[in-house]
Structures are given as structure tokens and as C-alpha cells.
């Protein structure tokens, strides 16, 4: 359910980015009046896209991986590897969430925001911090969820 909501939010952010770009381009080239703050709005939408997608990708265990040794490992060794990778990933993501929260506090105390649209940065930093923290939790849970499901080593294709 949560992934479905996140998916809809990502699609909404993408659609609004397209609308902002279309209005900006039409305004710029047809009416010589671009959309004020379009670049800033696009930047803020990118943070939403990236940080909403991060927990989704982590929960699905769909990050890009290079696993040339994994097929050689037994089930127990694969589980240990998944746990180690999950813990390291969770620690890195937790530090990132903490730093984003600190950044949000700094933005809030200074009143930082976009130049043209005057949109405050602090809410975006706080939301991003929460989403990264969710990804950290997912990184810890994924190895155990995968262990409950039967896994088989991936089949390799001979490209020769």
C-alpha cells in the first residue's frame, strides 16, 4: 500500500515537472515571458523524486548490484552477506538522514528558500530526512524478508 502511494507521488511529481517545463518553454518562446522560478521548482521536484524513490528501491531490493561472487556462495553465506550489506547501507543512510535533518534545522533558522518563488527549503530537507530514515529501516529489514522467501542463485547467460 505504501509503495503504491509513493509510486503515485513520484508520478505526480514527474507530471508536474513536465507541466512546469512545458509552461516555461511556451512562455519563454511564444510570449517572451518564462515561468518565474521554473528552475527552482524543477530542482525541488527532483529532490522529491529521488528521496521518495529511495525507500521504494530499497524495500524492493532493486539497487544496482554487481554480484559475481554471489552464485558461488551457499544460502547461509548469502544471508550473511545480505545482512552485512544491509547494516552498512542502513548506517550510511542513517548518517545521511541525520545530516539532512541538521540541514533542515539550519535552513529553518536562517529562513533559507528559493530566490524567485520564495519557497522555504526546510520542509523539503525534513521530508527528505524522514524518507532516507525509512530507507535505512528498509535496508535492515530486506535481508530477513528475503530469507523468508526461497531464493535460488541467478542463472547466468553465456554471452559468447
Amino acid at each position: 500500500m505504501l509503495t503504491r502511494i509513493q509510486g503515485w507521488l513520484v508520478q505526480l511529481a514527474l507530471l508536474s515537472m513536465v507541466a512546469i517545463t512545458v509552461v516555461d518553454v511556451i512562455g519563454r518562446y511564444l510570449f517572451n515571458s518564462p515561468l518565474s522560478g521554473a528552475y527552482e521548482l524543477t530542482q525541488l521536484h527532483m529532490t522529491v523524486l529521488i528521496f521518495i524513490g529511495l525507500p521504494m528501491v530499497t524495500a524492493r531490493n532493486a539497487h544496482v548490484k554487481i554480484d559475481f561472487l554471489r552464485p558461488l556462495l551457499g544460502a547461509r553465506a548469502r544471508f550473511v552477506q545480505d545482512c552485512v550489506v544491509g547494516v552498512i547501507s542502513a548506517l550510511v543512510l542513517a548518517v545521511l538522514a541525520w545530516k539532512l535533518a541538521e540541514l533542515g534545522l539550519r535552513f529553518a533558522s536562517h529562513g533559507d528558500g528559493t530566490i524567485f518563488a520564495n519557497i522555504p527549503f526546510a520542509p523539503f530537507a525534513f521530508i527528505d530526512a524522514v524518507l532516507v530514515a525509512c530507507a535505512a529501516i528498509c535496508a535492515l529489514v530486506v535481508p530477513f524478508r528475503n530469507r523468508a522467501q526461497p531464493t535460488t542463485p541467478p542463472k547466468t547467460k553465456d554471452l559468447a
Side-chain angles (χ1 to χ4, degrees), residues 10 21 37 74-75 86 105 116 129 153:
V10 167
T21 304
L105 290 172
F116 293 107

Side-chain angles (χ1 to χ4, degrees), residues 7 27 45-46 60 99 129 151:
H45 277 81
M46 286 302 294
R60 292 178 182 171
K99 289 298 188 180
T151 59

Side-chain angles (χ1 to χ4, degrees), residues 9 11 30 40-41 52 58 61 71 75 91 96 110-111 138 144 160:
L9 288 173
Q11 291 174 19
L30 294 182
E40 296 168 337
L41 289 171
I52 286 178
T58 306
N61 199 19
L91 288 173
L96 180 59
H110 293 260
C138 289
F144 297 98

Side-chain angles (χ1 to χ4, degrees), residues 74-151:
R76 181 180 221 96
R78 283 195 304 268
F79 176 68
V80 170
Q81 179 191 30
D82 289 345
C83 289
V84 169
V85 168
V87 167
I88 292 170
S89 298
L91 288 173
V92 170
L93 289 167
V95 169
L96 180 59
W98 173 47
K99 289 298 188 180
L100 280 167
E102 280 184 345
L103 185 64
L105 290 172
R106 193 168 353 134
F107 284 154
S109 69
H110 293 260
D112 290 345
T114 61
I115 295 172
F116 293 107
N118 202 25
I119 299 170
F121 290 140
F124 289 92
F126 291 133
I127 290 169
D128 294 347
V130 168
L131 290 168
V132 171
C134 290
I137 293 168
C138 289
L140 289 174
V141 171
V142 164
F144 297 98
R145 188 190 67 212
N146 288 346
R147 183 158 173 107
Q149 300 168 356
T151 59

